[in-house]
Amino acid sequence: MASGTTAPPPPASLKRIVAASLIGTTIEWYDFFLYGSAAALVFNKLFFPGSDPLVGTLLSFLTYAVGFAARPIGALVFGHYGDRLGRKKLLVLSLLLMGGATFAIGLLPTHATIGTAAPVLLTVLRLVQGFALGGEWGGAVLLVSEHGDARRRGFWASWPQTGAPAGQLLATGVLSFLTAVLSDAAFGSWGWRIPFLLSGVLVMVGLWIRLSVDESPVFKEALAQAEARKAADAGAVEKMPLVAVLRHHWRDVLIAMGARMAENISYYVITAFILVYATTSAGVSRQTALNAVLIASAVHFAVIPAWGALSDRVGRRPVYLVGAVGIGLWMFPFFSLIDTGGFGNLILAVTVGLVLHGAMYAPQAAFFSEMFATRMRYSGASIGAQFASVAAGAPAPLIATALLADYGDSTPIALYVIAASLLTIVAVGVAKETRHRDLADMDTGAEVAAGAARTEDAGVL
């Protein structure tokens, strides 16, 4: 293999690749976050009627958490085939699955029409969303990471990460506009369907752009080497990517999972649970809470590339640790500002929280990509990221809502996020710095060679 000498694509080509990843992730996150916002605002009434309002919200967030349960399965399936067949094919499939499920939610009858079948169908579609998103993230960040060079990988790989706030911005913006122009009765009757149906149009745009990019040169090179090894020894096959990851990179998987805890939990408390807390405990209107998240998401989008660029200069770990420590320290001021009920204080609370979150989220793409070799990178990065989401992001709004219901106070919720921050600080603290690693050179190492060694008992496609 031509290792570290693999030339990066020209700037115009790299920008097209970044745009394809960013637009795709924006659409995927728009679909995913739209559900979260709708779960906090209307799904409790439309699909779980007859309950106490807070209990209905809990049930609504439970279906929200179900989507996270499917993400590790998506990570395993998409990771396996993404490492075998390539990143691009799997990214197209994930976009189609996510968009189709979201569009179907927009057509779904409510509990008033078909009874208990409504929440069941809603849960099934949420599972499809989670499965698709579990495969989306790893492929999108790898497509950019593997096209660029080590010198600015943190900056370029952070752009697909901006798909999260961009999707949040788009989802919250559409909901905010609809709640502003429609009456509560109209929005609850039919207006909530519009953002879900809009996903169909967005997916067509995303597919058109995503199909225009090429597979990463690093993956092509690794695939060619794998084929050469098979030709040299016809009786041998490669180990399954999952087996290689768990055998040779289990420590990196655990580090990635620990690193995700504070990032994932804090994000969903700040952007999803806030819609419950601000409206029920702080007396803030739904429109005001949505507008605050909208403004903060715009700032979040802007700071992520800046944090990514900083990680190229000082390292992934220092930037990540700034975010983990900062988010833990911010939690008590965060809720205190919201409790005032002032719009300016609400914006400040959410914006600072998301800026600190960005310090973790921005370097994460390059950081996780640089932990694994090419033929197990999709699997390794996806498993580390998505398995953590089951314990972190999935129950975060549910746990926060339950703590609020039990204690009627924000202190236990703040302590919950602080505990996650401590876990992330430990995980990132024991990790090795990766910013100078060449992704192609990693494929020539002895550890990777052992992980990809020919073995008689290995699995195949």
Side-chain angles (χ1 to χ4, degrees), residues 189-226:
S189 175
W190 55 269
W192 67 272
R193 298 181 183 275
I194 295 175
F196 290 92
L197 297 176
L198 179 62
S199 177
V201 178
L202 297 176
V203 166
M204 292 300 104
V205 176
L207 282 175
W208 175 67
I209 296 175
R210 187 161 276 186
L211 287 169
S212 68
V213 302
D214 197 9
E215 187 58 76
S216 78
V218 174
F219 177 80
K220 288 180 177 179
E221 203 168 346
L223 183 61
Q225 275 227 334

Coordinates of all heavy atoms in Angstrom, one line a residue, residues 189-226:
S189 N -54.2 19.3 14.8 CA -55.1 18.5 13.9 C -54.3 18.0 12.7 O -54.3 16.8 12.3 CB -56.3 19.3 13.5 OG -57.1 18.6 12.5
W190 N -53.7 19.0 12.0 CA -53.0 18.6 10.7 C -51.6 19.3 10.5 O -50.8 18.8 9.8 CB -53.9 18.9 9.5 CG -54.3 20.4 9.5 CD1 -55.5 20.9 10.0 CD2 -53.7 21.5 8.9 NE1 -55.6 22.2 9.8 CE2 -54.5 22.6 9.1 CE3 -52.5 21.6 8.2 CZ2 -54.1 23.9 8.7 CZ3 -52.1 22.9 7.7 CH2 -52.9 24.0 8.0
G191 N -51.4 20.4 11.2 CA -50.2 21.2 10.9 C -48.9 20.4 11.3 O -47.9 20.6 10.6
W192 N -49.0 19.6 12.3 CA -47.8 18.8 12.7 C -47.3 17.9 11.6 O -46.1 17.5 11.6 CB -48.0 18.0 14.0 CG -49.0 16.9 13.8 CD1 -50.4 17.0 13.9 CD2 -48.7 15.5 13.5 NE1 -50.9 15.8 13.7 CE2 -50.0 14.9 13.4 CE3 -47.5 14.9 13.2 CZ2 -50.0 13.5 13.1 CZ3 -47.6 13.5 12.9 CH2 -48.8 12.8 12.9
R193 N -48.2 17.5 10.7 CA -47.8 16.6 9.6 C -46.9 17.2 8.6 O -46.1 16.5 7.9 CB -49.0 16.0 8.9 CG -49.9 15.2 9.9 CD -51.1 14.7 9.1 NE -52.1 14.0 10.0 CZ -52.0 12.7 10.3 NH1 -50.9 12.0 9.8 NH2 -52.8 12.1 11.1
I194 N -47.0 18.5 8.4 CA -46.3 19.2 7.3 C -44.7 19.0 7.4 O -44.1 18.6 6.3 CB -46.6 20.7 7.3 CG1 -48.1 20.9 6.9 CG2 -45.7 21.4 6.3 CD1 -48.6 22.3 7.0
P195 N -44.1 19.1 8.5 CA -42.6 18.9 8.6 C -42.2 17.5 8.2 O -41.1 17.3 7.6 CB -42.3 19.3 10.0 CG -43.4 20.1 10.5 CD -44.6 19.6 9.8
F196 N -43.0 16.5 8.6 CA -42.7 15.1 8.3 C -42.8 14.9 6.8 O -42.0 14.2 6.2 CB -43.6 14.2 9.1 CG -43.3 14.2 10.5 CD1 -44.0 15.0 11.4 CD2 -42.3 13.3 11.1 CE1 -43.7 15.0 12.8 CE2 -42.0 13.3 12.4 CZ -42.7 14.1 13.3
L197 N -43.9 15.4 6.2 CA -44.0 15.2 4.7 C -43.0 15.9 3.9 O -42.6 15.5 2.8 CB -45.4 15.7 4.3 CG -46.6 14.9 5.0 CD1 -47.9 15.5 4.6 CD2 -46.6 13.4 4.6
L198 N -42.5 17.0 4.5 CA -41.4 17.8 3.8 C -40.2 17.0 3.6 O -39.4 17.2 2.7 CB -41.1 19.1 4.6 CG -40.1 20.0 4.1 CD1 -40.4 20.6 2.7 CD2 -39.8 21.2 5.1
S199 N -40.0 16.0 4.5 CA -38.8 15.1 4.4 C -38.7 14.5 3.0 O -37.5 14.2 2.6 CB -38.9 14.1 5.5 OG -37.8 13.2 5.4
G200 N -39.8 14.1 2.4 CA -39.7 13.5 1.1 C -39.0 14.3 0.1 O -38.2 13.8 -0.7
V201 N -39.2 15.6 0.1 CA -38.6 16.5 -0.8 C -37.1 16.6 -0.5 O -36.2 16.6 -1.4 CB -39.2 17.9 -0.8 CG1 -38.5 18.9 -1.7 CG2 -40.7 17.8 -1.2
L202 N -36.8 16.8 0.8 CA -35.4 16.9 1.2 C -34.6 15.7 0.8 O -33.4 15.8 0.4 CB -35.3 17.2 2.7 CG -36.0 18.4 3.2 CD1 -36.0 18.5 4.7 CD2 -35.3 19.7 2.6
V203 N -35.1 14.5 1.0 CA -34.4 13.3 0.6 C -34.0 13.2 -0.8 O -32.9 12.8 -1.2 CB -35.2 12.0 1.0 CG1 -34.6 10.8 0.4 CG2 -35.3 11.9 2.5
M204 N -34.9 13.7 -1.7 CA -34.6 13.7 -3.1 C -33.4 14.6 -3.4 O -32.5 14.2 -4.2 CB -35.8 14.2 -3.9 CG -37.0 13.2 -3.9 SD -36.6 11.6 -4.6 CE -36.5 10.6 -3.1
V205 N -33.3 15.7 -2.8 CA -32.2 16.7 -2.9 C -30.9 16.0 -2.4 O -29.9 16.0 -3.1 CB -32.5 18.0 -2.2 CG1 -31.2 18.9 -2.3 CG2 -33.7 18.7 -2.8
G206 N -31.0 15.4 -1.2 CA -29.9 14.7 -0.6 C -29.3 13.6 -1.5 O -28.1 13.4 -1.6
L207 N -30.2 12.8 -2.1 CA -29.8 11.7 -2.9 C -29.1 12.2 -4.2 O -28.0 11.6 -4.6 CB -31.0 10.8 -3.3 CG -31.5 9.9 -2.3 CD1 -32.8 9.2 -2.8 CD2 -30.5 8.8 -1.9
W208 N -29.6 13.2 -4.7 CA -29.0 13.8 -6.0 C -27.5 14.2 -5.7 O -26.6 14.0 -6.5 CB -29.8 15.0 -6.5 CG -29.2 15.7 -7.6 CD1 -29.1 15.2 -8.9 CD2 -28.7 17.0 -7.6 NE1 -28.5 16.1 -9.7 CE2 -28.2 17.3 -9.0 CE3 -28.6 18.0 -6.7 CZ2 -27.6 18.5 -9.3 CZ3 -28.0 19.2 -7.0 CH2 -27.5 19.4 -8.3
I209 N -27.3 14.8 -4.6 CA -25.9 15.3 -4.2 C -25.1 14.2 -3.8 O -23.9 14.0 -4.2 CB -26.0 16.4 -3.1 CG1 -26.8 17.6 -3.7 CG2 -24.6 16.8 -2.7 CD1 -27.0 18.7 -2.7
R210 N -25.6 13.3 -3.0 CA -24.8 12.2 -2.4 C -24.3 11.2 -3.5 O -23.3 10.6 -3.4 CB -25.6 11.5 -1.3 CG -24.8 10.4 -0.6 CD -25.5 10.1 0.8 NE -25.1 11.1 1.8 CZ -25.4 11.0 3.1 NH1 -26.1 10.0 3.5 NH2 -25.0 11.9 4.0
L211 N -25.2 11.0 -4.5 CA -24.8 10.1 -5.6 C -23.7 10.6 -6.5 O -23.1 9.9 -7.3 CB -26.0 9.7 -6.4 CG -27.1 8.8 -5.8 CD1 -28.4 8.8 -6.6 CD2 -26.5 7.4 -5.6
S212 N -23.4 11.9 -6.4 CA -22.4 12.5 -7.2 C -21.0 12.4 -6.8 O -20.1 12.8 -7.5 CB -22.8 14.0 -7.4 OG -22.5 14.7 -6.2
V213 N -20.8 11.9 -5.6 CA -19.4 11.8 -5.0 C -18.9 10.4 -5.2 O -19.6 9.4 -5.4 CB -19.4 12.2 -3.5 CG1 -19.9 13.6 -3.3 CG2 -20.2 11.2 -2.7
D214 N -17.5 10.3 -5.1 CA -16.9 9.0 -5.3 C -16.5 8.4 -4.0 O -16.5 9.1 -2.9 CB -15.6 9.3 -6.2 CG -15.1 8.0 -6.8 OD1 -15.7 7.0 -6.7 OD2 -13.9 8.0 -7.3
E215 N -16.2 7.1 -4.0 CA -15.7 6.4 -2.8 C -14.4 7.0 -2.4 O -13.6 7.5 -3.2 CB -15.6 4.9 -3.1 CG -15.3 4.0 -1.9 CD -16.4 4.2 -0.8 OE1 -17.5 3.7 -0.9 OE2 -16.0 4.9 0.2
S216 N -14.0 6.9 -1.1 CA -12.8 7.4 -0.6 C -11.6 6.6 -1.1 O -11.6 5.4 -1.2 CB -12.8 7.4 0.9 OG -12.5 6.1 1.4
P217 N -10.5 7.3 -1.5 CA -9.3 6.7 -2.0 C -8.7 5.7 -1.0 O -8.1 4.7 -1.3 CB -8.4 7.8 -2.4 CG -8.8 9.0 -1.6 CD -10.3 8.8 -1.4
V218 N -8.7 6.1 0.3 CA -8.2 5.2 1.3 C -8.9 3.9 1.4 O -8.3 2.8 1.5 CB -8.3 5.9 2.7 CG1 -7.8 5.0 3.8 CG2 -7.4 7.2 2.7
F219 N -10.2 3.9 1.2 CA -11.0 2.6 1.2 C -10.7 1.8 0.0 O -10.5 0.6 0.0 CB -12.5 2.9 1.3 CG -13.3 1.6 1.3 CD1 -13.4 0.8 2.4 CD2 -13.9 1.2 0.0 CE1 -14.2 -0.4 2.3 CE2 -14.6 0.0 0.0 CZ -14.7 -0.8 1.1
K220 N -10.6 2.5 -1.2 CA -10.3 1.8 -2.4 C -8.9 1.1 -2.3 O -8.8 -0.1 -2.8 CB -10.3 2.8 -3.6 CG -11.6 3.3 -4.0 CD -11.4 4.2 -5.2 CE -12.8 4.8 -5.7 NZ -12.6 5.7 -6.8
E221 N -8.0 1.8 -1.7 CA -6.6 1.2 -1.6 C -6.7 0.0 -0.6 O -6.0 -1.1 -0.9 CB -5.7 2.3 -1.0 CG -4.2 2.0 -1.3 CD -3.4 3.3 -1.0 OE1 -4.0 4.4 -0.9 OE2 -2.2 3.1 -1.0
A222 N -7.4 0.1 0.5 CA -7.5 -1.0 1.4 C -8.2 -2.2 0.8 O -7.8 -3.3 1.1 CB -8.2 -0.5 2.7
L223 N -9.2 -1.9 0.0 CA -10.0 -3.0 -0.6 C -9.1 -3.7 -1.6 O -9.1 -4.9 -1.7 CB -11.2 -2.4 -1.3 CG -12.2 -3.4 -2.0 CD1 -12.7 -4.4 -1.0 CD2 -13.3 -2.7 -2.7
A224 N -8.3 -2.9 -2.4 CA -7.4 -3.6 -3.3 C -6.4 -4.5 -2.6 O -6.1 -5.6 -3.1 CB -6.7 -2.5 -4.1
Q225 N -5.9 -4.0 -1.5 CA -5.0 -4.9 -0.8 C -5.6 -6.1 -0.3 O -5.0 -7.2 -0.3 CB -4.4 -4.1 0.4 CG -3.2 -3.2 0.1 CD -2.1 -3.4 1.1 OE1 -2.3 -3.7 2.2 NE2 -0.9 -3.2 0.6
A226 N -6.9 -6.0 0.2 CA -7.6 -7.2 0.7 C -7.8 -8.2 -0.4 O -7.6 -9.4 -0.3 CB -8.9 -6.8 1.3

